[in-house]
Amino acid sequence: MIHCYIILIFAVKILLLKVFRNFSDYSSKKPLALSLGMFDGVHLGHKCIMDELKKAGSENNLDTAVLTFWPHPRFVFNPNEDLKLLNTLAEKTVLIENYGISRLFVKEFDEEFRNLTGEEFVRQILVEKLNVKYLIIGYDHSFGKNKSGNFELLQKLSKELNFEVEQMEAINIHENNISSTKIRKALQEGNIKEANEMLGYHYSLSGRVIHGRKIGRTIGYPTANIETENIKLLPQKGAYIVEVFLKNESYKGMLSIGTNPTVNGEKLTVEVYILNFNGDIYGENITVKFRDFLHDEIKFEGMEKLVERLDEDKRLTEEFSF
């Protein structure tokens, strides 16, 4: 089993990642070092896998690749489940590219694919179509119909089909295993610093700036309402210190997730007040990165109390060191 030692500060190297939505589109004869899974969050545990892929690729003259699935299999097996993801597909693609992987296979989790047994998947997809010679899986990963594929099966088939297989051990922070599930839980509880530590980067939201109720501008705190993708996980309702990226510039910001109960709001909104900025940005794309949690959503007795809290949040945001 592979052990990975976490380095929280790392260099980012951008490659020209090649993305394949169909296995039939891939025709390279060069063998692959590959890992498979959802990679939701592309967190530090995933980083360790990709670091090992790059090492194997360099030592054995292999291209590096990740095979992931879209939509998430849980959407297929449990269509009524309200699952929210850490990454959109676009975000995941950028993160994988940033870690230096050269190939990304995005497989639709359709009826035909979900009915492949673990052994059929290894033989027909990994070996015959993708020419995998080095395979790395996570410590708890299973695959194939009825989860019939696991590390033991891979060890058995690797001898017959001539590929190497390695399994990662769990990656720990503060004696806790890193997982996408634990990161989601931390975000849903407002534990931004804990989530960011497991991710290895700052959790972000992106979207288009849309029109809102425009109440903020009447009290000196005009906000940009962000239209986010429905599948994207929103952290716990409340106020946050964020870093705002807009038109190739970055700013400090105060972000609110909630229904604006002080003014009897009902719709859940994501709004950011951008410090030291004044401009019309409707229709623009904006990204916010979460840096710290300020407080839970509060219903104030009146607008005066709300402004007092906003003034204090602004002071804390100005003093926060990015």
Side-chain angles (χ1 to χ4, degrees):
M1 293 185 179
I2 303 166
H3 299 263
C4 181
Y5 299 92
I6 297 171
I7 300 176
L8 292 177
I9 301 175
F10 55 90
V12 175
K13 182 180 180 181
I14 304 294
L15 297 181
L16 294 176
L17 178 71
K18 295 182 180 179
V19 181
F20 300 89
R21 300 301 295 260
N22 295 293
F23 295 134
S24 58
D25 294 336
Y26 180 70
S27 60
S28 175
K29 293 181 180 180
K30 188 174 181 179
L32 294 177
L34 179 141
S35 185
L36 64 145
M38 273 309 301
F39 289 86
D40 188 30
V42 195
H43 53 63
L44 284 178
H46 298 139
K47 176 186 182 295
C48 289
I49 289 176
M50 287 184 274
D51 285 346
E52 195 65 26
L53 281 177
K54 289 185 291 184
K55 179 182 175 183
S58 176
E59 292 177 351
N60 299 283
N61 192 30
L62 308 172
D63 280 338
T64 55
V66 164
L67 168 57
T68 192
F69 311 101
W70 201 266
H72 196 295
R74 282 168 61 179
F75 290 137
V76 177
F77 289 114
N78 303 296
N80 296 322
E81 180 183 7
D82 188 27
L83 174 67
K84 301 297 183 183
L85 301 180
L86 299 171
N87 297 141
T88 65
L89 182 56
E91 290 170 343
K92 183 189 299 188
T93 300
V94 170
L95 287 164
I96 290 172
E97 181 177 47
N98 285 350
Y99 281 129
I101 301 301
S102 59
R103 306 283 186 271
L104 175 62
F105 298 95
V106 182
K107 181 67 181 78
E108 180 184 1
F109 203 75
D110 54 23
E111 188 71 19
E112 179 183 2
F113 188 78
R114 66 185 282 192
N115 283 318
L116 288 175
T117 66
E119 182 166 347
E120 288 170 339
F121 172 72
V122 174
R123 290 182 182 276
Q124 297 175 22
I125 306 300
L126 297 185
V127 175
E128 293 180 12
K129 291 188 177 181
L130 302 183
N131 194 17
V132 172
K133 291 297 182 183
Y134 198 102
L135 181 65
I136 301 176
I137 64 170
Y139 72 97
D140 60 350
H141 187 71
S142 60
F143 57 91
K145 187 176 181 179
N146 299 322
K147 298 184 178 181
S148 55
N150 52 34
F151 183 58
E152 288 70 29
L153 174 68
L154 290 171
Q155 285 181 306
K156 173 186 172 184
L157 293 176
S158 66
K159 299 178 178 62
E160 176 192 346
L161 301 175
N162 189 32
F163 64 87
E164 292 186 54
V165 60
E166 299 287 350
Q167 184 178 43
M168 294 295 294
E169 287 196 344
I171 308 305
N172 299 311
I173 286 183
H174 308 313
E175 300 182 354
N176 288 316
N177 294 347
I178 297 175
S179 71
S180 302
T181 299
K182 289 181 180 178
I183 296 169
R184 289 191 202 104
K185 184 174 185 293
L187 290 169
Q188 289 168 332
E189 294 174 351
N191 296 326
I192 292 300
K193 288 185 176 180
E194 178 185 342
N196 287 343
E197 191 173 16
M198 289 188 283
L199 287 167
Y201 59 88
H202 300 109
Y203 189 68
S204 67
L205 293 174
S206 298
R208 187 170 59 91
V209 177
I210 59 175
H211 290 276
R213 297 171 68 186
K214 299 181 175 62
I215 295 175
R217 65 176 60 184
T218 68
I219 56 174
Y221 284 95
T223 59
N225 285 54
I226 305 173
E227 182 180 49
T228 62
E229 291 195 35
N230 184 54
I231 63 166
K232 178 76 174 181
L233 177 74
L234 298 179
Q236 174 184 304
K237 290 180 182 178
Y240 298 85
I241 296 174
V242 296
E243 189 172 7
V244 182
F245 294 86
L246 175 67
K247 296 181 177 180
N248 298 316
E249 298 288 342
S250 65
Y251 307 85
K252 289 185 175 182
M254 299 149 47
L255 182 134
S256 170
I257 299 174
T259 59
N260 298 303
T262 304
V263 292
N264 300 314
E266 296 180 354
K267 181 181 178 181
L268 184 70
T269 61
V270 179
E271 304 177 47
V272 62
Y273 170 72
I274 308 171
L275 277 65
N276 302 313
F277 178 82
N278 183 24
D280 183 356
I281 54 173
Y282 290 116
E284 297 285 348
N285 289 318
I286 190 172
T287 295
V288 296
K289 293 187 177 182
F290 288 81
R291 303 302 296 265
D292 206 356
F293 180 71
L294 284 167
H295 55 79
D296 291 328
E297 182 178 50
I298 304 171
K299 182 174 183 178
F300 295 94
E301 294 179 358
M303 299 300 284
E304 184 178 341
K305 293 294 184 182
L306 170 60
V307 172
E308 287 179 4
R309 181 69 246 196
L310 289 171
D311 290 342
E312 175 63 10
D313 289 350
K314 182 179 180 181
R315 182 187 68 79
L316 293 171
T317 301
E318 289 173 333
E319 293 177 354
F320 188 86
S321 179
F322 280 11

